[in-house]
Amino acid sequence: MAVLPIRIMGDPVLHAPASPVDEITDEVRTLVADMFETMDRAPGVGLAAPQVGVSLRIFTYSYAADDGTPWRGVVINPELWIRPLEPGAPDPDEESEGCLSFPSERFPLRRSDEALITGIDLDGAEVRIQVDGWRARILQHEFDHLDGVLYVDRLDDGDWKTVQKIARKRGWGRPGSSWMPGVDDIDA
């Protein structure tokens, strides 16, 4: 397995819808194994294929519940259903998230508290995940990546301006920007 470079917000692959996976091949299996290794090394709770430069509708996730119970898997060609958002501004203490494609930063973002995702796994078996809370946030975040949407694209105007300043300062607005988890210093 190999750790893959994480694409930073200016890379075009992050801003275009990903293509469906037509067949689960050895290349797809290797990609998923590498994505798990990259996600764990970063560390992150999810990773979408476009974040490693591959425009396919695949994401991995990994999270431990408060009781330590692991929740880990892969979803290929996912479909997402969510409850409508509660109106109002997000709570910065309870509704902030970050992203490996905009590392070392967190911003408040309102997400649906419940999500249902369907798709297939690496064996072609149906996947159906219905969750709430933090897990619902993870699924929505990773699904957005497959549609070319970064969480920073959903921020309010004030936070969006801050994102633009950070990106300019760190040089993240150019195509091909990436970092290697566990190797590169991301706090530039």
Side-chain angles (χ1 to χ4, degrees), residues 41-78:
R41 174 83 56 93
V45 295
L47 186 66
Q51 291 182 275
V52 295
V54 180
S55 186
L56 289 175
R57 297 189 74 78
I58 302 171
F59 71 78
T60 58
Y61 59 90
S62 182
Y63 179 70
D66 291 339
D67 65 0
T69 305
W71 182 66
R72 187 172 174 91
V74 59
V75 184
I76 300 170
N77 297 334

PDB file of all heavy atoms in Angstrom, residues 41-78:
ATOM      1  N   ARG A  41      -3.112   7.981   7.965  1.00  0.00           N
ATOM      2  CA  ARG A  41      -1.860   8.703   8.181  1.00  0.00           C
ATOM      3  C   ARG A  41      -2.114  10.196   8.369  1.00  0.00           C
ATOM      4  O   ARG A  41      -1.361  10.869   9.036  1.00  0.00           O
ATOM      5  CB  ARG A  41      -0.937   8.464   6.993  1.00  0.00           C
ATOM      6  CG  ARG A  41       0.367   9.249   6.986  1.00  0.00           C
ATOM      7  CD  ARG A  41       1.502   8.651   7.802  1.00  0.00           C
ATOM      8  NE  ARG A  41       1.836   7.309   7.454  1.00  0.00           N
ATOM      9  CZ  ARG A  41       2.768   6.927   6.595  1.00  0.00           C
ATOM     10  NH1 ARG A  41       3.480   7.824   5.946  1.00  0.00           N
ATOM     11  NH2 ARG A  41       2.994   5.652   6.380  1.00  0.00           N
ATOM     12  N   ALA A  42      -3.169  10.735   7.743  1.00  0.00           N
ATOM     13  CA  ALA A  42      -3.372  12.188   7.694  1.00  0.00           C
ATOM     14  C   ALA A  42      -3.471  12.872   9.064  1.00  0.00           C
ATOM     15  O   ALA A  42      -2.866  13.921   9.208  1.00  0.00           O
ATOM     16  CB  ALA A  42      -4.576  12.510   6.817  1.00  0.00           C
ATOM     17  N   PRO A  43      -4.154  12.504  10.054  1.00  0.00           N
ATOM     18  CA  PRO A  43      -5.261  11.560  10.135  1.00  0.00           C
ATOM     19  C   PRO A  43      -6.580  12.248   9.781  1.00  0.00           C
ATOM     20  O   PRO A  43      -6.744  13.442   9.992  1.00  0.00           O
ATOM     21  CB  PRO A  43      -5.257  11.157  11.608  1.00  0.00           C
ATOM     22  CG  PRO A  43      -4.794  12.387  12.328  1.00  0.00           C
ATOM     23  CD  PRO A  43      -3.821  13.064  11.374  1.00  0.00           C
ATOM     24  N   GLY A  44      -7.489  11.441   9.268  1.00  0.00           N
ATOM     25  CA  GLY A  44      -8.801  11.964   8.926  1.00  0.00           C
ATOM     26  C   GLY A  44      -9.875  10.954   9.261  1.00  0.00           C
ATOM     27  O   GLY A  44      -9.582   9.809   9.593  1.00  0.00           O
ATOM     28  N   VAL A  45     -11.137  11.373   9.160  1.00  0.00           N
ATOM     29  CA  VAL A  45     -12.269  10.478   9.409  1.00  0.00           C
ATOM     30  C   VAL A  45     -12.954  10.065   8.112  1.00  0.00           C
ATOM     31  O   VAL A  45     -13.896   9.289   8.124  1.00  0.00           O
ATOM     32  CB  VAL A  45     -13.300  11.109  10.380  1.00  0.00           C
ATOM     33  CG1 VAL A  45     -12.683  11.295  11.761  1.00  0.00           C
ATOM     34  CG2 VAL A  45     -13.847  12.412   9.827  1.00  0.00           C
ATOM     35  N   GLY A  46     -12.480  10.611   6.989  1.00  0.00           N
ATOM     36  CA  GLY A  46     -13.022  10.262   5.688  1.00  0.00           C
ATOM     37  C   GLY A  46     -12.085  10.746   4.606  1.00  0.00           C
ATOM     38  O   GLY A  46     -11.267  11.644   4.827  1.00  0.00           O
ATOM     39  N   LEU A  47     -12.195  10.121   3.439  1.00  0.00           N
ATOM     40  CA  LEU A  47     -11.376  10.518   2.302  1.00  0.00           C
ATOM     41  C   LEU A  47     -12.091  10.101   1.027  1.00  0.00           C
ATOM     42  O   LEU A  47     -12.485   8.944   0.883  1.00  0.00           O
ATOM     43  CB  LEU A  47      -9.995   9.855   2.368  1.00  0.00           C
ATOM     44  CG  LEU A  47      -8.978  10.296   1.315  1.00  0.00           C
ATOM     45  CD1 LEU A  47      -8.577  11.758   1.513  1.00  0.00           C
ATOM     46  CD2 LEU A  47      -7.750   9.404   1.377  1.00  0.00           C
ATOM     47  N   ALA A  48     -12.253  11.050   0.120  1.00  0.00           N
ATOM     48  CA  ALA A  48     -12.887  10.780  -1.165  1.00  0.00           C
ATOM     49  C   ALA A  48     -11.810  10.650  -2.238  1.00  0.00           C
ATOM     50  O   ALA A  48     -10.772  11.320  -2.172  1.00  0.00           O
ATOM     51  CB  ALA A  48     -13.859  11.896  -1.520  1.00  0.00           C
ATOM     52  N   ALA A  49     -12.063   9.815  -3.240  1.00  0.00           N
ATOM     53  CA  ALA A  49     -11.084   9.584  -4.299  1.00  0.00           C
ATOM     54  C   ALA A  49     -10.598  10.884  -4.954  1.00  0.00           C
ATOM     55  O   ALA A  49      -9.394  11.009  -5.223  1.00  0.00           O
ATOM     56  CB  ALA A  49     -11.646   8.605  -5.330  1.00  0.00           C
ATOM     57  N   PRO A  50     -11.466  11.874  -5.230  1.00  0.00           N
ATOM     58  CA  PRO A  50     -10.942  13.106  -5.814  1.00  0.00           C
ATOM     59  C   PRO A  50      -9.875  13.792  -4.951  1.00  0.00           C
ATOM     60  O   PRO A  50      -9.008  14.493  -5.475  1.00  0.00           O
ATOM     61  CB  PRO A  50     -12.187  13.990  -5.955  1.00  0.00           C
ATOM     62  CG  PRO A  50     -13.302  13.009  -6.127  1.00  0.00           C
ATOM     63  CD  PRO A  50     -12.941  11.869  -5.205  1.00  0.00           C
ATOM     64  N   GLN A  51      -9.912  13.577  -3.647  1.00  0.00           N
ATOM     65  CA  GLN A  51      -8.917  14.189  -2.778  1.00  0.00           C
ATOM     66  C   GLN A  51      -7.514  13.624  -3.004  1.00  0.00           C
ATOM     67  O   GLN A  51      -6.533  14.231  -2.589  1.00  0.00           O
ATOM     68  CB  GLN A  51      -9.305  14.016  -1.305  1.00  0.00           C
ATOM     69  CG  GLN A  51     -10.514  14.832  -0.920  1.00  0.00           C
ATOM     70  CD  GLN A  51     -10.821  14.659   0.537  1.00  0.00           C
ATOM     71  OE1 GLN A  51     -11.505  13.718   0.926  1.00  0.00           O
ATOM     72  NE2 GLN A  51     -10.295  15.561   1.363  1.00  0.00           N
ATOM     73  N   VAL A  52      -7.433  12.467  -3.628  1.00  0.00           N
ATOM     74  CA  VAL A  52      -6.129  11.895  -3.968  1.00  0.00           C
ATOM     75  C   VAL A  52      -5.917  11.907  -5.478  1.00  0.00           C
ATOM     76  O   VAL A  52      -5.097  11.164  -6.012  1.00  0.00           O
ATOM     77  CB  VAL A  52      -5.932  10.484  -3.362  1.00  0.00           C
ATOM     78  CG1 VAL A  52      -5.904  10.556  -1.840  1.00  0.00           C
ATOM     79  CG2 VAL A  52      -6.985   9.503  -3.836  1.00  0.00           C
ATOM     80  N   GLY A  53      -6.675  12.752  -6.167  1.00  0.00           N
ATOM     81  CA  GLY A  53      -6.466  12.972  -7.590  1.00  0.00           C
ATOM     82  C   GLY A  53      -7.156  12.004  -8.519  1.00  0.00           C
ATOM     83  O   GLY A  53      -6.880  11.987  -9.716  1.00  0.00           O
ATOM     84  N   VAL A  54      -8.086  11.192  -7.992  1.00  0.00           N
ATOM     85  CA  VAL A  54      -8.784  10.197  -8.805  1.00  0.00           C
ATOM     86  C   VAL A  54     -10.261  10.576  -8.875  1.00  0.00           C
ATOM     87  O   VAL A  54     -10.958  10.574  -7.866  1.00  0.00           O
ATOM     88  CB  VAL A  54      -8.619   8.780  -8.224  1.00  0.00           C
ATOM     89  CG1 VAL A  54      -9.351   7.763  -9.078  1.00  0.00           C
ATOM     90  CG2 VAL A  54      -7.136   8.425  -8.101  1.00  0.00           C
ATOM     91  N   SER A  55     -10.734  10.854 -10.066  1.00  0.00           N
ATOM     92  CA  SER A  55     -12.105  11.327 -10.241  1.00  0.00           C
ATOM     93  C   SER A  55     -13.083  10.161 -10.367  1.00  0.00           C
ATOM     94  O   SER A  55     -13.686   9.928 -11.408  1.00  0.00           O
ATOM     95  CB  SER A  55     -12.195  12.236 -11.476  1.00  0.00           C
ATOM     96  OG  SER A  55     -13.478  12.795 -11.552  1.00  0.00           O
ATOM     97  N   LEU A  56     -13.223   9.417  -9.262  1.00  0.00           N
ATOM     98  CA  LEU A  56     -14.173   8.309  -9.182  1.00  0.00           C
ATOM     99  C   LEU A  56     -15.054   8.486  -7.955  1.00  0.00           C
ATOM    100  O   LEU A  56     -14.619   9.035  -6.933  1.00  0.00           O
ATOM    101  CB  LEU A  56     -13.445   6.962  -9.092  1.00  0.00           C
ATOM    102  CG  LEU A  56     -12.741   6.490 -10.357  1.00  0.00           C
ATOM    103  CD1 LEU A  56     -11.955   5.206 -10.068  1.00  0.00           C
ATOM    104  CD2 LEU A  56     -13.727   6.260 -11.489  1.00  0.00           C
ATOM    105  N   ARG A  57     -16.272   7.963  -8.010  1.00  0.00           N
ATOM    106  CA  ARG A  57     -17.250   8.102  -6.931  1.00  0.00           C
ATOM    107  C   ARG A  57     -17.010   7.017  -5.867  1.00  0.00           C
ATOM    108  O   ARG A  57     -17.737   6.035  -5.781  1.00  0.00           O
ATOM    109  CB  ARG A  57     -18.674   8.069  -7.482  1.00  0.00           C
ATOM    110  CG  ARG A  57     -18.929   9.261  -8.420  1.00  0.00           C
ATOM    111  CD  ARG A  57     -20.360   9.399  -8.826  1.00  0.00           C
ATOM    112  NE  ARG A  57     -21.199   9.908  -7.753  1.00  0.00           N
ATOM    113  CZ  ARG A  57     -21.271  11.180  -7.367  1.00  0.00           C
ATOM    114  NH1 ARG A  57     -20.534  12.098  -7.946  1.00  0.00           N
ATOM    115  NH2 ARG A  57     -22.081  11.533  -6.387  1.00  0.00           N
ATOM    116  N   ILE A  58     -15.974   7.255  -5.084  1.00  0.00           N
ATOM    117  CA  ILE A  58     -15.567   6.350  -3.995  1.00  0.00           C
ATOM    118  C   ILE A  58     -15.186   7.203  -2.793  1.00  0.00           C
ATOM    119  O   ILE A  58     -14.492   8.207  -2.946  1.00  0.00           O
ATOM    120  CB  ILE A  58     -14.327   5.514  -4.381  1.00  0.00           C
ATOM    121  CG1 ILE A  58     -14.562   4.687  -5.635  1.00  0.00           C
ATOM    122  CG2 ILE A  58     -13.886   4.628  -3.214  1.00  0.00           C
ATOM    123  CD1 ILE A  58     -13.296   4.025  -6.173  1.00  0.00           C
ATOM    124  N   PHE A  59     -15.622   6.783  -1.598  1.00  0.00           N
ATOM    125  CA  PHE A  59     -15.047   7.382  -0.403  1.00  0.00           C
ATOM    126  C   PHE A  59     -14.908   6.343   0.699  1.00  0.00           C
ATOM    127  O   PHE A  59     -15.617   5.344   0.734  1.00  0.00           O
ATOM    128  CB  PHE A  59     -15.811   8.626   0.082  1.00  0.00           C
ATOM    129  CG  PHE A  59     -17.164   8.386   0.697  1.00  0.00           C
ATOM    130  CD1 PHE A  59     -17.300   7.933   1.992  1.00  0.00           C
ATOM    131  CD2 PHE A  59     -18.311   8.675  -0.030  1.00  0.00           C
ATOM    132  CE1 PHE A  59     -18.548   7.752   2.569  1.00  0.00           C
ATOM    133  CE2 PHE A  59     -19.564   8.518   0.531  1.00  0.00           C
ATOM    134  CZ  PHE A  59     -19.679   8.048   1.829  1.00  0.00           C
ATOM    135  N   THR A  60     -13.933   6.596   1.565  1.00  0.00           N
ATOM    136  CA  THR A  60     -13.705   5.770   2.750  1.00  0.00           C
ATOM    137  C   THR A  60     -14.088   6.599   3.975  1.00  0.00           C
ATOM    138  O   THR A  60     -14.120   7.825   3.917  1.00  0.00           O
ATOM    139  CB  THR A  60     -12.226   5.343   2.863  1.00  0.00           C
ATOM    140  OG1 THR A  60     -11.400   6.514   2.905  1.00  0.00           O
ATOM    141  CG2 THR A  60     -11.813   4.472   1.686  1.00  0.00           C
ATOM    142  N   TYR A  61     -14.362   5.911   5.072  1.00  0.00           N
ATOM    143  CA  TYR A  61     -14.675   6.598   6.324  1.00  0.00           C
ATOM    144  C   TYR A  61     -14.178   5.750   7.481  1.00  0.00           C
ATOM    145  O   TYR A  61     -14.049   4.524   7.381  1.00  0.00           O
ATOM    146  CB  TYR A  61     -16.182   6.862   6.456  1.00  0.00           C
ATOM    147  CG  TYR A  61     -17.023   5.614   6.426  1.00  0.00           C
ATOM    148  CD1 TYR A  61     -17.329   4.931   7.604  1.00  0.00           C
ATOM    149  CD2 TYR A  61     -17.486   5.087   5.221  1.00  0.00           C
ATOM    150  CE1 TYR A  61     -18.082   3.774   7.578  1.00  0.00           C
ATOM    151  CE2 TYR A  61     -18.233   3.929   5.197  1.00  0.00           C
ATOM    152  CZ  TYR A  61     -18.528   3.277   6.375  1.00  0.00           C
ATOM    153  OH  TYR A  61     -19.267   2.121   6.341  1.00  0.00           O
ATOM    154  N   SER A  62     -13.866   6.415   8.580  1.00  0.00           N
ATOM    155  CA  SER A  62     -13.389   5.733   9.774  1.00  0.00           C
ATOM    156  C   SER A  62     -13.599   6.647  10.967  1.00  0.00           C
ATOM    157  O   SER A  62     -13.150   7.793  10.967  1.00  0.00           O
ATOM    158  CB  SER A  62     -11.896   5.406   9.635  1.00  0.00           C
ATOM    159  OG  SER A  62     -11.436   4.713  10.763  1.00  0.00           O
ATOM    160  N   TYR A  63     -14.296   6.124  11.959  1.00  0.00           N
ATOM    161  CA  TYR A  63     -14.615   6.924  13.130  1.00  0.00           C
ATOM    162  C   TYR A  63     -14.858   5.968  14.291  1.00  0.00           C
ATOM    163  O   TYR A  63     -15.428   4.896  14.109  1.00  0.00           O
ATOM    164  CB  TYR A  63     -15.874   7.763  12.846  1.00  0.00           C
ATOM    165  CG  TYR A  63     -16.332   8.627  13.977  1.00  0.00           C
ATOM    166  CD1 TYR A  63     -15.610   9.736  14.364  1.00  0.00           C
ATOM    167  CD2 TYR A  63     -17.516   8.347  14.655  1.00  0.00           C
ATOM    168  CE1 TYR A  63     -16.046  10.547  15.402  1.00  0.00           C
ATOM    169  CE2 TYR A  63     -17.963   9.153  15.686  1.00  0.00           C
ATOM    170  CZ  TYR A  63     -17.227  10.246  16.058  1.00  0.00           C
ATOM    171  OH  TYR A  63     -17.661  11.050  17.074  1.00  0.00           O
ATOM    172  N   ALA A  64     -14.414   6.365  15.468  1.00  0.00           N
ATOM    173  CA  ALA A  64     -14.690   5.571  16.666  1.00  0.00           C
ATOM    174  C   ALA A  64     -15.732   6.305  17.500  1.00  0.00           C
ATOM    175  O   ALA A  64     -15.586   7.500  17.766  1.00  0.00           O
ATOM    176  CB  ALA A  64     -13.421   5.352  17.475  1.00  0.00           C
ATOM    177  N   ALA A  65     -16.771   5.603  17.873  1.00  0.00           N
ATOM    178  CA  ALA A  65     -17.824   6.185  18.708  1.00  0.00           C
ATOM    179  C   ALA A  65     -17.265   6.494  20.092  1.00  0.00           C
ATOM    180  O   ALA A  65     -16.162   6.072  20.449  1.00  0.00           O
ATOM    181  CB  ALA A  65     -18.997   5.221  18.812  1.00  0.00           C
ATOM    182  N   ASP A  66     -18.041   7.225  20.883  1.00  0.00           N
ATOM    183  CA  ASP A  66     -17.608   7.581  22.231  1.00  0.00           C
ATOM    184  C   ASP A  66     -17.244   6.360  23.063  1.00  0.00           C
ATOM    185  O   ASP A  66     -16.358   6.423  23.909  1.00  0.00           O
ATOM    186  CB  ASP A  66     -18.701   8.388  22.949  1.00  0.00           C
ATOM    187  CG  ASP A  66     -18.867   9.773  22.348  1.00  0.00           C
ATOM    188  OD1 ASP A  66     -17.928  10.267  21.683  1.00  0.00           O
ATOM    189  OD2 ASP A  66     -19.953  10.368  22.533  1.00  0.00           O
ATOM    190  N   ASP A  67     -17.917   5.238  22.806  1.00  0.00           N
ATOM    191  CA  ASP A  67     -17.618   4.015  23.558  1.00  0.00           C
ATOM    192  C   ASP A  67     -16.460   3.224  22.939  1.00  0.00           C
ATOM    193  O   ASP A  67     -16.139   2.135  23.392  1.00  0.00           O
ATOM    194  CB  ASP A  67     -18.860   3.133  23.674  1.00  0.00           C
ATOM    195  CG  ASP A  67     -19.339   2.590  22.335  1.00  0.00           C
ATOM    196  OD1 ASP A  67     -18.711   2.881  21.283  1.00  0.00           O
ATOM    197  OD2 ASP A  67     -20.351   1.866  22.330  1.00  0.00           O
ATOM    198  N   GLY A  68     -15.829   3.785  21.886  1.00  0.00           N
ATOM    199  CA  GLY A  68     -14.689   3.127  21.256  1.00  0.00           C
ATOM    200  C   GLY A  68     -15.041   2.178  20.125  1.00  0.00           C
ATOM    201  O   GLY A  68     -14.158   1.611  19.485  1.00  0.00           O
ATOM    202  N   THR A  69     -16.337   1.983  19.872  1.00  0.00           N
ATOM    203  CA  THR A  69     -16.768   1.087  18.801  1.00  0.00           C
ATOM    204  C   THR A  69     -16.329   1.655  17.447  1.00  0.00           C
ATOM    205  O   THR A  69     -16.655   2.797  17.120  1.00  0.00           O
ATOM    206  CB  THR A  69     -18.308   0.927  18.813  1.00  0.00           C
ATOM    207  OG1 THR A  69     -18.714   0.488  20.103  1.00  0.00           O
ATOM    208  CG2 THR A  69     -18.758  -0.057  17.746  1.00  0.00           C
ATOM    209  N   PRO A  70     -15.581   0.864  16.662  1.00  0.00           N
ATOM    210  CA  PRO A  70     -15.132   1.375  15.365  1.00  0.00           C
ATOM    211  C   PRO A  70     -16.252   1.377  14.329  1.00  0.00           C
ATOM    212  O   PRO A  70     -17.155   0.553  14.369  1.00  0.00           O
ATOM    213  CB  PRO A  70     -14.028   0.399  14.962  1.00  0.00           C
ATOM    214  CG  PRO A  70     -14.336  -0.861  15.689  1.00  0.00           C
ATOM    215  CD  PRO A  70     -15.052  -0.463  16.959  1.00  0.00           C
ATOM    216  N   TRP A  71     -16.167   2.320  13.423  1.00  0.00           N
ATOM    217  CA  TRP A  71     -17.097   2.468  12.302  1.00  0.00           C
ATOM    218  C   TRP A  71     -16.229   2.799  11.112  1.00  0.00           C
ATOM    219  O   TRP A  71     -15.639   3.873  11.032  1.00  0.00           O
ATOM    220  CB  TRP A  71     -18.083   3.589  12.632  1.00  0.00           C
ATOM    221  CG  TRP A  71     -19.145   3.848  11.623  1.00  0.00           C
ATOM    222  CD1 TRP A  71     -20.154   3.011  11.267  1.00  0.00           C
ATOM    223  CD2 TRP A  71     -19.336   5.038  10.857  1.00  0.00           C
ATOM    224  NE1 TRP A  71     -20.963   3.608  10.319  1.00  0.00           N
ATOM    225  CE2 TRP A  71     -20.475   4.861  10.053  1.00  0.00           C
ATOM    226  CE3 TRP A  71     -18.651   6.247  10.773  1.00  0.00           C
ATOM    227  CZ2 TRP A  71     -20.945   5.835   9.179  1.00  0.00           C
ATOM    228  CZ3 TRP A  71     -19.107   7.215   9.908  1.00  0.00           C
ATOM    229  CH2 TRP A  71     -20.252   7.002   9.121  1.00  0.00           C
ATOM    230  N   ARG A  72     -16.088   1.856  10.194  1.00  0.00           N
ATOM    231  CA  ARG A  72     -15.105   1.998   9.121  1.00  0.00           C
ATOM    232  C   ARG A  72     -15.615   1.291   7.884  1.00  0.00           C
ATOM    233  O   ARG A  72     -16.189   0.209   7.969  1.00  0.00           O
ATOM    234  CB  ARG A  72     -13.793   1.369   9.590  1.00  0.00           C
ATOM    235  CG  ARG A  72     -12.607   1.567   8.695  1.00  0.00           C
ATOM    236  CD  ARG A  72     -11.367   1.047   9.425  1.00  0.00           C
ATOM    237  NE  ARG A  72     -10.190   1.046   8.621  1.00  0.00           N
ATOM    238  CZ  ARG A  72      -9.326   2.057   8.544  1.00  0.00           C
ATOM    239  NH1 ARG A  72      -9.539   3.151   9.242  1.00  0.00           N
ATOM    240  NH2 ARG A  72      -8.252   1.970   7.789  1.00  0.00           N
ATOM    241  N   GLY A  73     -15.405   1.903   6.723  1.00  0.00           N
ATOM    242  CA  GLY A  73     -15.820   1.243   5.506  1.00  0.00           C
ATOM    243  C   GLY A  73     -15.545   2.062   4.265  1.00  0.00           C
ATOM    244  O   GLY A  73     -14.891   3.110   4.315  1.00  0.00           O
ATOM    245  N   VAL A  74     -16.058   1.559   3.154  1.00  0.00           N
ATOM    246  CA  VAL A  74     -15.936   2.217   1.857  1.00  0.00           C
ATOM    247  C   VAL A  74     -17.309   2.194   1.193  1.00  0.00           C
ATOM    248  O   VAL A  74     -18.072   1.238   1.373  1.00  0.00           O
ATOM    249  CB  VAL A  74     -14.883   1.521   0.960  1.00  0.00           C
ATOM    250  CG1 VAL A  74     -15.232   0.065   0.710  1.00  0.00           C
ATOM    251  CG2 VAL A  74     -14.694   2.264  -0.357  1.00  0.00           C
ATOM    252  N   VAL A  75     -17.627   3.249   0.469  1.00  0.00           N
ATOM    253  CA  VAL A  75     -18.861   3.298  -0.305  1.00  0.00           C
ATOM    254  C   VAL A  75     -18.489   3.690  -1.734  1.00  0.00           C
ATOM    255  O   VAL A  75     -17.781   4.680  -1.958  1.00  0.00           O
ATOM    256  CB  VAL A  75     -19.888   4.297   0.267  1.00  0.00           C
ATOM    257  CG1 VAL A  75     -21.185   4.233  -0.526  1.00  0.00           C
ATOM    258  CG2 VAL A  75     -20.158   4.027   1.742  1.00  0.00           C
ATOM    259  N   ILE A  76     -18.955   2.893  -2.669  1.00  0.00           N
ATOM    260  CA  ILE A  76     -18.713   3.122  -4.094  1.00  0.00           C
ATOM    261  C   ILE A  76     -20.048   3.494  -4.740  1.00  0.00           C
ATOM    262  O   ILE A  76     -21.070   2.867  -4.457  1.00  0.00           O
ATOM    263  CB  ILE A  76     -18.119   1.857  -4.741  1.00  0.00           C
ATOM    264  CG1 ILE A  76     -16.781   1.505  -4.064  1.00  0.00           C
ATOM    265  CG2 ILE A  76     -17.947   2.029  -6.251  1.00  0.00           C
ATOM    266  CD1 ILE A  76     -16.217   0.147  -4.458  1.00  0.00           C
ATOM    267  N   ASN A  77     -20.019   4.505  -5.595  1.00  0.00           N
ATOM    268  CA  ASN A  77     -21.215   5.011  -6.284  1.00  0.00           C
ATOM    269  C   ASN A  77     -22.352   5.314  -5.304  1.00  0.00           C
ATOM    270  O   ASN A  77     -23.485   4.855  -5.470  1.00  0.00           O
ATOM    271  CB  ASN A  77     -21.684   4.033  -7.362  1.00  0.00           C
ATOM    272  CG  ASN A  77     -20.663   3.850  -8.460  1.00  0.00           C
ATOM    273  OD1 ASN A  77     -19.840   4.721  -8.720  1.00  0.00           O
ATOM    274  ND2 ASN A  77     -20.694   2.704  -9.107  1.00  0.00           N
ATOM    275  N   PRO A  78     -22.065   6.128  -4.283  1.00  0.00           N
ATOM    276  CA  PRO A  78     -23.093   6.398  -3.269  1.00  0.00           C
ATOM    277  C   PRO A  78     -24.216   7.299  -3.763  1.00  0.00           C
ATOM    278  O   PRO A  78     -24.035   8.102  -4.677  1.00  0.00           O
ATOM    279  CB  PRO A  78     -22.308   7.092  -2.160  1.00  0.00           C
ATOM    280  CG  PRO A  78     -21.183   7.747  -2.861  1.00  0.00           C
ATOM    281  CD  PRO A  78     -20.813   6.824  -4.000  1.00  0.00           C
TER     282      PRO A  78
END
